[in-house]
Amino acid sequence: MNENAVNSIQEQALDPKDFQIQGADTASAELFARKPVTYWRDAWRRFFENKLAVVALCLLIVITLCTIFVPIFSSHSISAHDLLNRKQWPSAQHWFGTDDLGRDLFVRVWAGGRVSIIIGVLGAAIVAVVGCIYGGIAAYFGGKVDMLMMRIVEILSSVPNLLVVIMMSVVLESSSIPTLLFAMTVTGWCPIARLVRSQMLQISRSEYVMAARLMGVSPLKIVVRHMIPNTFSVIIVAVTFRIPGLIFGEAFLSNVGLGVQPPNTSWGALSSAAQSSLLYYPYMMFFPALLIALTMLSFTLMGDGLRDALDPKLRR
Amino acid sequence: MSKQPLFEIKNLKRYFPAKGGKTVKAVDDVTFDIFPGETFSLVGESGCGKTTCGRTILGVYPKTSGSILYEGEETAKMSKAQLRQFRRRNQMIFQDPYSCLDPRMTIGTIIQEGMNVHFKRTPAQRNEKVTELLFKVGLTADFASRFPHELSGGQRQRIGIARALAMEPDFIVCDEPIAALDVSIQAQVINLMIDLQQEMGLTYLFISHDLSMVRHISDRIGVMYLGSLVELSPTAPLYEKPLHPYTQALFSAIPDVHRGKKEQRIHLQGEIPSPINPPSGCKFSSRCPYAQDRCHEEAPALRELEKDHFVTCHLAAQL
Ligand SMILES: Nc1ncnc2c1ncn2[C@@H]1O[C@H](COP(=O)(O)OP(=O)(O)O)[C@@H](O)[C@H]1O
Ligand code: SF4
Ligand SMILES: [Mg+2]
């Protein structure tokens, strides 16, 4: 029985060609090899694979475009009183209704969005620039300079943020957008400065930077190739996550009466004005609150998407 | 050995400032030579200054005092052009295969980085060179487009080796290159390094605390304790007859070295003292089973007890 089996196997001529894996020759292996990619292009691709982040980005673009163009092209003006049409519920004429002076809320909500988004985005940009410069200088010089600079940051961050903002608003006695921005970023850069410093120090002590130095790579190239990409990706995520906080901060300030003054408005000012008559005219609160929530959520989701895209460990 | 040494390290010291104005004597008066083509190993427990020694030799850390002669020339006094050559000819392989590769660079870029500083090549030639190096370390061309985190520890270490080889070096400091790898992978990486050494005539300064691996790869060995060299010898005599009490204790812990002999495993009492505050006299005196009064007062000098076999101990000859 056994011998038969052995014989029958031997009888069938074994042809090495039968044992080749189809399509596994070197020529076609080259075809399957992944195209060379750079880090940034790869991150870009991963961001766009994240549906939620892309939806958030689109929503933000739509909201921003509306805040720019609705007030320009609408037939209503943001300050025109119409005392005959006060406190009207949403209708074909006034899509978001009218407020207690008869002003069209659709225009006012989008015009208010300008202030909120400008404060959010510009505030984040200021915080990022100041934080990068400050943190970068501290990390670069190190030693005593670093210690002094970081003590200052610690002191500044230990002061409650809102207290500073309120004091600033009161002292500066004006509630224009620049004042608000100044008040909200005056200590807001501290966490970014810390992040930049620690990230720079960590990278400059890393073994891959040591390897580059040992191979004679110039300091400038080390900064451009290692320090900036590795720091930038962390900062961009942190900064994106700060925008919702700034938008909310503006809303809060407007709520306690320190925000932009009428006839100019913002989402925070609109919802605070709607507060007194919330039970009878909830639509006045609904639209600005909805937009604050949507915008904050979108920035947060986009930050999530950026973080995932920029972290190569999550690359698939 | 009558050849001219590649490196002559004389009375090398490297101190780090520590809290409260104290100093960590990470490397404290170390003297040895490294000859072309050999593997010189530094062994000793974690924290005894092996890494610092290797890094100071390559100039990562400035030395506190002493001299490092490279082909007879003081490294600290090299001209710009000499330093450039020094940077190309002397490379390092790191212990941690995770932190030694930039996570945001592809493998191809990592291997090219240093090479492009020193060799003028067209992009096509560079890619060709990268492929060649990947093959040399046992990987395939398609690794060039991957990112470090897609690789296993052993593969990353091969990339670290390829990056060093790209510089066409003569000398490589291998700082515990296998300590972080799985045991099954360790032998592969070591064998690769031995093959490469024979093929390219490399000189290694091999740093390790794995004594069986060191025996396998080394020509000569220096044993370090608290920043000092306690024993220096060719491999075979050191394993056959360690002369310093610390080396004896260290080797008695390896399962197969003294098998069949009557010698017992020597257990050292106490903890390793801090390099901030080492014991006076012989640094090993606080733990040495043979310590005498003289040991606590007078630091022993490195002396040649047998041919090429040096030891830092007052009593080594009698033990
Ligand atoms: N950059 C540094 N700054 C301060 N102390 C250091 C530094 N590097 C090493 N040391 C100290 O020097 C001693 C020797 O460290 P190291 O050379 O890493 O030893 P090994 O590689 O043998 O484990 C240790 O006590 C360590 O704490
Ligand atoms: S000099 Fe004395 S204390 Fe030091 S190792 Fe020798 S016997 Fe031990
Ligand atoms: Mg070490």
Side-chain angles (χ1 to χ4, degrees):
Chain A
M1 191 59 197
N2 262 345
E3 271 173 38
N4 281 347
V6 171
N7 284 340
S8 71
I9 287 174
Q10 283 174 343
E11 274 158 25
Q12 296 166 359
L14 292 181
D15 183 354
K17 278 188 188 142
D18 293 342
F19 293 92
Q20 271 178 5
I21 303 166
Q22 288 297 304
D25 52 308
T26 32
S28 53
E30 300 256 301
L31 283 180
F32 290 119
R34 237 191 343 244
K35 287 218 184 66
V37 283
T38 66
Y39 167 69
W40 295 110
R41 203 174 309 149
D42 194 57
W44 190 252
R45 177 184 62 79
R46 268 175 295 154
F47 181 80
F48 281 95
E49 276 171 7
N50 182 340
K51 301 239 162 37
L52 216 51
V54 174
V55 169
L57 178 65
C58 293
L59 204 62
L60 284 174
I61 292 174
V62 170
I63 291 175
T64 312
L65 290 178
C66 284
T67 60
I68 296 172
F69 292 110
V70 168
I72 298 177
F73 293 112
S74 171
S75 51
H76 303 284
S77 105
I78 66 158
S79 53
H81 299 192
D82 180 358
L83 296 178
L84 294 177
N85 286 319
R86 294 165 54 206
K87 303 186 177 177
Q88 299 248 315
W89 280 70
S91 64
Q93 177 71 30
H94 301 288
W95 289 3
F96 288 181
T98 60
D99 67 5
D100 47 6
L101 293 172
R103 293 175 294 198
D104 180 64
L105 277 177
F106 187 66
V107 177
R108 284 185 68 75
V109 163
W110 291 119
R114 287 181 177 181
V115 175
S116 298
I117 287 181
I118 285 174
I119 288 194
V121 173
L122 217 57
I126 294 172
V127 162
V129 170
V130 176
C132 283
I133 293 173
Y134 193 95
I137 290 174
Y140 182 83
F141 287 104
K144 290 215 171 72
V145 179
D146 177 39
M147 210 182 69
L148 184 73
M149 286 177 83
M150 284 302 120
R151 288 300 89 78
I152 293 173
V153 162
E154 267 162 36
I155 293 166
L156 280 180
S157 349
S158 67
V159 183
N161 207 1
L162 280 170
L163 191 68
V164 177
V165 172
I166 291 170
M167 270 171 21
M168 283 300 211
S169 306
V170 172
V171 170
L172 294 172
E173 276 188 64
S174 83
S175 295
S176 62
I177 294 178
T179 321
L180 272 180
L181 268 179
F182 181 71
M184 294 211 291
T185 52
V186 70
T187 61
W189 55 269
C190 291
I192 304 284
R194 273 213 195 117
L195 184 72
V196 171
R197 172 185 169 270
S198 71
Q199 193 71 14
M200 299 279 258
L201 284 182
Q202 195 191 334
I203 297 165
S204 64
R205 283 179 196 152
S206 72
E207 290 186 342
Y208 54 82
V209 167
M210 188 188 292
R213 287 215 314 264
L214 279 175
M215 293 187 300
V217 179
S218 71
L220 183 69
K221 277 189 182 152
I222 290 177
V223 168
V224 172
R225 288 208 196 120
H226 297 285
M227 310 284 277
I228 292 179
N230 280 296
T231 314
F232 186 71
S233 50
V234 173
I235 293 163
I236 198 164
V237 173
V239 167
T240 311
F241 279 124
R242 284 198 77 79
I243 297 177
L246 286 158
I247 292 178
F248 189 77
E250 183 277 327
F252 172 83
L253 282 183
S254 299
N255 223 310
V256 297
L258 294 168
V260 290
Q261 300 303 305
N264 206 349
T265 191
S266 71
W267 288 336
L270 283 168
S271 47
S272 103
Q275 223 170 16
S276 52
S277 48
L278 180 63
L279 280 182
Y280 307 102
Y281 307 105
Y283 64 88
M284 289 190 196
M285 177 69 105
F286 178 74
F287 293 106
L290 177 72
L291 279 162
I292 293 178
L294 271 183
T295 310
M296 285 174 64
L297 181 68
S298 298
F299 274 114
T300 308
L301 289 176
M302 210 174 76
D304 272 336
L306 282 174
R307 188 190 53 205
D308 293 353
L310 291 169
D311 186 349
K313 290 193 190 69
L314 299 167
R315 182 187 201 252
R316 261 157 293 157
Chain B
M1 262 176 249
S2 54
K3 279 189 279 185
Q4 146 109 353
L6 188 64
F7 278 99
E8 291 163 72
I9 288 108
K10 283 188 194 136
N11 305 103
L12 181 68
K13 293 183 185 176
R14 171 63 211 180
Y15 296 171
F16 290 108
K19 285 218 168 73
K22 296 187 177 123
T23 49
V24 181
K25 300 182 174 177
V27 173
D28 197 13
D29 206 350
V30 164
T31 300
F32 62 90
D33 296 339
I34 301 173
F35 292 94
E38 76 167 343
T39 300
F40 183 88
S41 289
L42 282 178
V43 302
E45 289 161 288
S46 171
C48 68
K50 308 182 293 295
T51 298
T52 308
C53 188
R55 291 182 176 181
T56 312
I57 291 173
L58 288 195
V60 176
Y61 304 135
K63 60 180 192 246
T64 305
S65 71
S67 70
I68 305 166
L69 303 186
Y70 175 64
E71 295 184 327
E73 288 215 45
E74 179 60 61
T75 54
K77 292 184 188 132
M78 283 187 295
S79 70
K80 256 212 162 104
Q82 281 175 315
L83 185 66
R84 196 178 149 85
Q85 273 307 302
F86 184 82
R87 288 274 166 261
R88 182 185 71 70
R89 294 178 59 189
N90 301 285
Q91 294 304 315
M92 184 179 277
I93 301 172
F94 296 87
Q95 173 171 8
D96 182 356
Y98 290 87
S99 69
C100 73
L101 308 178
D102 187 332
R104 290 183 165 80
M105 278 191 180
T106 59
I107 300 303
T109 322
I110 290 172
I111 295 178
Q112 282 188 26
E113 185 178 18
M115 165 180 118
N116 293 350
V117 176
H118 295 271
F119 301 101
K120 289 249 175 303
R121 293 195 177 109
T122 64
Q125 286 171 324
R126 288 173 179 175
N127 289 337
E128 204 174 297
K129 187 75 193 174
V130 167
T131 309
E132 184 192 317
L133 287 161
L134 283 169
F135 278 123
K136 204 165 224 168
V137 296
L139 300 173
T140 52
D142 63 310
F143 275 84
S145 61
R146 299 197 196 172
F147 283 88
H149 71 272
E150 296 174 71
L151 275 54
S152 68
Q155 289 170 336
R156 285 156 174 259
Q157 209 53 291
R158 286 168 193 265
I159 300 300
I161 295 171
R163 169 173 64 188
L165 293 183
M167 310 292 282
E168 301 175 11
D170 327 308
F171 174 70
I172 303 182
V173 173
C174 314
D175 189 355
E176 310 213 26
I178 53 164
L181 304 180
D182 279 357
V183 177
S184 56
I185 310 291
Q186 289 186 344
Q188 293 176 12
V189 174
I190 283 294
N191 287 334
L192 172 70
M193 291 176 57
I194 294 175
D195 290 347
L196 290 169
Q197 178 174 39
Q198 283 165 358
E199 194 184 319
M200 309 172 74
L202 297 168
T203 309
Y204 286 151
L205 172 60
F206 192 84
I207 294 172
S208 182
H209 61 252
D210 179 346
L211 293 166
S212 20
M213 205 55 97
V214 165
R215 181 181 205 176
H216 184 56
I217 192 171
S218 316
D219 297 310
R220 289 190 309 134
I221 297 175
V223 181
M224 284 185 78
Y225 182 77
L226 274 186
S228 301
L229 214 51
V230 295
E231 191 161 359
L232 177 66
S233 161
T235 306
L238 186 73
Y239 278 79
E240 263 154 40
K241 195 178 163 211
L243 296 177
H244 195 281
Y246 175 66
T247 319
Q248 290 168 358
L250 207 59
F251 283 15
S252 75
I254 325 174
D256 59 0
V257 170
H258 287 147
R259 199 186 298 139
K261 294 191 185 173
K262 270 177 281 171
E263 285 170 55
Q264 295 284 304
R265 179 167 175 175
I266 307 167
H267 290 279
L268 294 177
Q269 335 104 312
E271 291 288 303
I272 308 181
S274 149
I276 295 178
N277 208 352
S280 60
C282 173
K283 284 191 176 176
F284 190 53
S285 57
S286 64
R287 298 168 81 198
C288 180
Y290 313 109
Q292 299 178 346
D293 290 345
R294 181 184 172 203
C295 302
H296 295 287
E297 286 148 20
E298 187 188 336
L302 192 69
R303 57 198 174 106
E304 188 167 10
L305 217 61
E306 286 163 21
K307 184 167 169 9
D308 292 331
H309 193 156
F310 298 80
V311 63
T312 318
C313 172
H314 294 306
L315 307 177
Q318 291 105 288
L319 294 177

